[in-house]
Amino acid sequence: MESKPLVVIVGPTASGKTSLSIEIAKRYDGEIICADSRTIYKGMDIGTAKPSKAEQDGVPHWGLDLVLPGEKFSVFDFKLYAENKIKEIRDRGKIPFLVGGTGLYTDAVVFDYQFGASPNPEQREILQGLSIEELRKYCEEHNINLPENVLNKRHLIHAIEQNNVPEKRRVNPIENTIIVGIATDREVLRQRIRERSEQIFESNVVNEALMLGNKYGWKSEAMTGNIYPLIRQYSKGEISIEEAKERFITSDWRLAKRQLTWLRRNPFINWLSLDEAREYLIRALANR
């Protein structure tokens, strides 16, 4: 019997891919592997817009809460984890869904990245020879989250070294893979990001951030990105809650643009609107 296909659903933050994947996975007895470099952290639930148990709607989700903030988790680690889960899901006779906006994570699986050793002194020497602007551009081109202090060369180099660089990769995707990208109008995406920002703040993200900051330290790798540095500034009286919201919206919009820049390099993604993607996947999975 032919193995179940791997369904890959990608798109920028707030594009609606999570709700679509849950809907389709529930309809076709699938399980979801989240490919998101922010939701891997335990306790970081509200600020990362991690799908709650209620939102998961009974569909098994994997790839959430894998490590504590501050613990190292590379793309190499994710690839091994995801490949094991894909096999387990198929062995159960179900369809694996790989869903997320971290293009480096999905590409590592889809194009079977082969990794070499961890970052070495020679690589560090090369990175130290780059300017701050070149290091920032490298981060953007490789979908690496920028550190809180983007003018600090040491922080930029550390961010890059947290991401293993593949030695080789396939030219074409692995076999038996369906790849869909969620195409969203820019203004619609902006509005979705704004609405989600309001929801995150209404869900008491401030308390979550303060608890995490006290427990793991504000300099923890996981705490230097996303919404958490803004909450710290707010808690210190440096910015108002409204300023924190607006800066978070701007930050998420920039993240969405970086994600799209990465994803659009993949010519094998079938870009569709949410409604088109739903119909496409229903047709593709009807007899699987």
Side-chain angles (χ1 to χ4, degrees), residues 126-185:
I126 293 171
L127 293 174
Q128 287 177 335
L130 300 178
S131 67
I132 287 176
E133 187 56 40
E134 287 170 330
L135 289 168
R136 289 176 60 182
K137 185 176 181 182
Y138 182 96
C139 289
E140 292 170 359
E141 289 177 348
H142 292 81
N143 205 31
I144 296 171
N145 290 331
L146 290 168
E148 180 179 2
N149 188 349
V150 296
L151 299 178
N152 186 303
K153 178 178 273 193
R154 182 172 60 84
H155 290 185
L156 286 163
I157 290 174
H158 178 68
I160 292 170
E161 289 183 336
Q162 293 301 300
N163 291 265
N164 288 338
V165 179
E167 287 190 336
K168 61 180 181 177
R169 49 168 282 175
R170 292 172 57 112
V171 175
N172 297 306
I174 56 176
E175 289 73 22
N176 201 14
T177 303
I178 300 168
I179 309 176
V180 171
I182 306 303
T184 309
D185 176 80

Side-chain angles (χ1 to χ4, degrees), residues 181-224:
I182 306 303
T184 309
D185 176 80
R186 288 172 63 90
E187 290 309 310
V188 171
L189 186 59
R190 275 183 177 274
Q191 184 58 31
R192 280 177 172 270
I193 288 173
R194 180 170 292 278
E195 290 170 358
R196 193 175 67 176
S197 171
E198 288 294 334
Q199 182 181 2
I200 285 173
F201 275 90
E202 288 172 5
S203 301
N204 216 354
V205 71
V206 173
N207 278 359
E208 176 184 89
L210 294 176
M211 179 275 292
L212 291 166
N214 290 332
K215 188 171 183 179
Y216 300 107
W218 292 99
K219 293 184 179 179
S220 163
E221 188 73 21
M223 296 296 293
T224 59

Side-chain angles (χ1 to χ4, degrees), residues 83-98:
E83 287 176 338
N84 286 333
K85 287 302 174 187
I86 290 168
K87 183 180 185 305
E88 290 175 11
I89 293 167
R90 282 173 165 163
D91 286 347
R92 288 192 283 271
K94 300 190 175 187
I95 297 176
F97 285 71
L98 183 63

